[in-house]
Amino acid sequence: MFDGRFANNAWLQELPEPTTKVVWENVAKMNPSTAERLGVGSKLDGGRYLTDTVEIEVGQYRVELPVWIQPGIGR
């Protein structure tokens, strides 16, 4: 959204993130070896991704996110 001047343009907010093609979802990005070590994965089924979820906890805060496996992300 650059410096915020286009924040009110809903069309621009629906553009996918270039490397993942994720649009409105928060995901837990991880490399394939980390996903394998954690025993999580995803599969493509009829044009939809079906993914496992992971729970991330920091202090008293907790969030559950779908897994997005992407080569090239550091370990």
Side-chain angles (χ1 to χ4, degrees):
M1 304 311 272
F2 192 52
D3 62 358
R5 71 180 80 172
F6 301 114
N8 64 346
N9 186 335
W11 182 83
L12 287 176
Q13 293 181 19
E14 303 230 1
L15 290 173
E17 197 269 318
T19 58
T20 64
K21 305 302 183 216
V22 173
V23 179
W24 280 105
E25 189 70 44
N26 290 320
V27 295
K29 297 178 188 176
M30 61 183 70
N31 66 36
S33 62
T34 302
E36 184 178 336
R37 184 171 43 92
L38 295 174
V40 296
S42 62
K43 67 178 181 175
L44 184 60
D45 181 29
R48 290 180 31 187
Y49 275 101
L50 304 175
T51 68
D52 293 327
T53 60
V54 293
E55 186 175 276
I56 300 172
E57 184 176 343
V58 177
Q60 66 187 33
Y61 300 101
R62 184 180 313 168
V63 64
E64 186 175 341
L65 297 169
V67 171
W68 190 266
I69 301 168
Q70 182 175 350
I73 293 179
R75 296 179 190 186

